[in-house]
Amino acid sequence: MTDPVLREITETVPLPVLEPSGDVFHDLIGCLVEQQHPARSTKQTYAKALDRGGLDRLTPATFEAFERDGLAGVKLSGQKQAALAHAAGWFAEHDPDWAAMDDAEVRRTLLQLKGVGNWTVDVLLIWTLGRDDVIPLDDYHLKKAMAARYGLATGAGMKARMREIAEAWRPTRSLGTRYLLAWTDWQRELAQ
């Protein structure tokens, strides 16, 4: 590893095991409900809603019941409700072979959906599909970690600097991302 900052983190911080589910619909709805990756959420809104709906995994076929029973009492904006309904409708009509698509194809496909931006796609590429070379430049926690560890100034130009630093991590930028996020979690645990 040519990046001394990341090398120090990899030698210090345990990396949680990544078990990509491949279940883009389930994880996408979780991202939309939480507005962050459900597995990293402290609110656990999605997990609680699934439990209320009596579901382990959400599918397009079970979405209506999830919406009725699981999301009952959960305050979601009209825009978020529309994004959820649009995604459910799209997945009810389409069943892409995500594993056969390259990262760019996955991105183009998912960006067509309401409420889905680059951050959501990056999360799905890394944690759901297990792609190796993704850097989520819009991730709040990654920005915070890189500002702390690399001395980056927040604001204009930060994304360009993040991208530049992450070039040294190729072809495993996802691993670098996961280590920096694990470092953030590790720091939070140490502070408690």
Side-chain angles (χ1 to χ4, degrees):
M1 170 128 349
T2 60
D3 180 336
V5 172
L6 193 57
R7 184 174 53 244
E8 180 188 338
I9 291 171
T10 64
E11 293 170 355
T12 309
V13 178
L15 185 66
V17 174
L18 176 63
E19 296 179 11
S21 68
D23 192 343
V24 174
F25 178 73
H26 175 86
D27 291 351
L28 170 63
I29 297 299
C31 286
L32 292 173
V33 167
E34 298 281 358
Q35 281 311 131
Q36 59 184 337
H37 187 7
R40 293 183 48 81
S41 173
T42 56
K43 295 183 288 185
Q44 296 295 309
T45 304
Y46 187 48
K48 291 173 187 173
L50 287 169
D51 190 51
R52 275 193 305 276
L55 301 166
D56 291 322
R57 301 297 295 173
L58 185 62
T59 67
T62 60
F63 181 78
E64 190 176 316
F66 169 75
E67 192 174 35
R68 182 188 64 239
D69 303 328
L71 292 178
V74 177
K75 292 183 180 179
L76 299 175
S77 69
Q79 189 174 17
K80 191 175 285 194
Q81 289 173 357
L84 292 171
H86 183 256
W90 189 88
F91 276 86
E93 295 178 11
H94 301 86
D95 186 20
D97 182 357
W98 301 106
M101 295 175 155
D102 67 21
D103 295 357
E105 288 176 288
V106 171
R107 186 173 303 281
R108 276 191 306 275
T109 302
L110 290 173
L111 287 176
Q112 297 174 50
L113 303 177
K114 288 180 184 174
V116 175
N118 282 313
W119 173 85
T120 305
V121 176
D122 291 338
V123 165
L124 295 170
L125 284 167
I126 295 172
W127 281 275
T128 301
L129 297 175
R131 302 300 172 90
D132 292 329
D133 199 30
V134 179
I135 177 81
L137 298 172
D138 293 319
D139 188 89
Y140 170 79
H141 296 288
L142 182 61
K143 286 180 181 179
K144 216 170 152 180
M146 289 187 81
R149 289 309 308 250
Y150 293 89
L152 300 183
T154 57
M158 183 175 189
K159 278 190 194 181
R161 282 290 294 133
M162 290 170 67
R163 187 179 290 112
E164 183 181 309
I165 290 165
E167 281 301 308
W169 310 345
R170 281 188 185 272
T172 57
R173 291 181 299 169
S174 299
L175 187 61
T177 296
R178 291 178 53 226
Y179 263 112
L180 278 161
L181 294 176
W183 175 82
T184 300
D185 294 341
W186 183 67
Q187 289 293 303
R188 188 171 33 247
E189 288 172 16
L190 288 178
Q192 293 177 352

